[in-house]
Amino acid sequence: MPQPAGRAQRRGGGSRKPREERWAELFAVATDIFHEKGYEGASLQDIADRLGMLKGSLYYYIHSKEDLLFEVINEVHRQGLENIVALASQPGDPLQKLRNVIVGHIEHMCRHLTGTTVFLHEMESLPPERQAEILGGEHAYRSVFLDLVSKAKADGLVRDDIDPKLASLAILGSVNWVYRWFRPGGEFTPRHIGEQFADLILRGLVAD
């Protein structure tokens, strides 16, 4: 896991856990508490108590609660983007790649439900400039979907009346909503949900 941004490397002494291990624990606990209580309801004291640390010790790793939320959301976005970029790079025509991305994106979200929920619920708790720092100037995540729809249309695989930008927004909006109702161990597996959504979406795009 990447180290927190803007913090100097420090060496612990004695029996203290390595910094990387302690940061991973802090990251996991913060993600859980932001998920349980929401950003506004969570406190650094909550996080410190669950870690068995003094609140002041958290400042060894972060400057503020906002910094911690930024680190959580940034890492969730990084992992998700890495996943869909890899899927979009697999062999196949643009529609097949789009199908792979839709299925794989839904599977990834469902298997990382806590982090996904924090990302989608709490992004707007960050200032606009920090949101932009995570998403990128061109919204890199959305750009993967836009690029595939645009290429599929250019290849004659998507209907002429489809606007790629609107289509990519509709696709991402619909698949992202899965986190609201998906329950692990429920009626549908992540794979089944992904395949069903991909079928529905592609049937609405494909040219005759």
Side-chain angles (χ1 to χ4, degrees):
M1 176 182 297
Q3 294 301 301
R7 302 298 283 173
Q9 294 290 330
R10 305 182 187 180
R11 293 183 180 273
S15 61
R16 291 175 62 184
K17 292 183 179 179
R19 185 178 190 277
E20 294 78 8
E21 182 180 346
R22 201 54 160 159
W23 167 248
E25 291 178 349
L26 170 56
F27 183 93
V29 167
T31 304
D32 287 342
I33 290 180
F34 287 147
H35 177 255
E36 294 166 12
K37 297 189 173 186
Y39 175 69
E40 292 299 328
S43 69
L44 290 180
Q45 188 65 59
D46 294 328
I47 295 167
D49 288 346
R50 190 168 297 184
L51 284 165
M53 297 172 62
L54 295 173
K55 178 181 174 182
S57 298
L58 295 179
Y59 295 106
Y60 181 88
Y61 302 92
I62 58 169
H63 291 292
S64 65
K65 186 174 76 166
E66 181 186 297
D67 280 347
L68 190 50
L69 180 66
F70 175 88
E71 296 293 347
V72 169
I73 289 179
N74 189 53
E75 178 64 9
V76 172
H77 181 267
R78 185 195 68 78
Q79 291 180 3
L81 181 60
E82 186 177 86
N83 176 59
I84 63 171
V85 167
L87 291 166
S89 300
Q90 293 179 356
D93 65 47
L95 276 186
Q96 181 59 55
K97 292 181 179 183
L98 181 60
R99 179 183 177 83
N100 293 340
V101 167
I102 292 168
V103 174
H105 175 57
I106 289 176
E107 287 189 294
H108 182 85
M109 286 197 308
C110 291
R111 289 170 179 162
H112 300 85
L113 200 57
T114 299
T116 294
T117 302
V118 173
F119 175 83
L120 293 173
H121 274 193
E122 305 298 345
M123 172 65 84
E124 292 188 358
S125 297
L126 293 172
E129 63 273 14
R130 303 205 82 179
Q131 295 181 40
E133 185 178 347
I134 292 170
L135 297 174
E138 298 298 325
H139 288 260
Y141 216 102
R142 190 174 69 209
S143 294
V144 174
F145 291 85
L146 175 59
D147 182 61
L148 291 174
V149 176
S150 298
K151 287 179 177 177
K153 184 174 180 179
D155 290 349
L157 302 173
V158 165
R159 298 193 337 247
D160 288 338
D161 61 325
I162 295 292
D163 183 288
K165 183 176 182 179
L166 290 177
S168 63
L169 288 168
I171 295 168
L172 193 53
S174 64
V175 298
N176 278 351
W177 197 251
V178 169
Y179 89 99
R180 296 284 296 187
W181 50 263
F182 173 75
R183 295 294 178 269
E187 182 179 1
F188 304 114
T189 66
R191 183 73 184 184
H192 181 73
I193 295 169
E195 290 177 345
Q196 289 281 295
F197 268 61
D199 286 343
L200 289 168
I201 291 167
L202 265 61
R203 286 172 185 166
L205 295 176
V206 69
D208 292 336

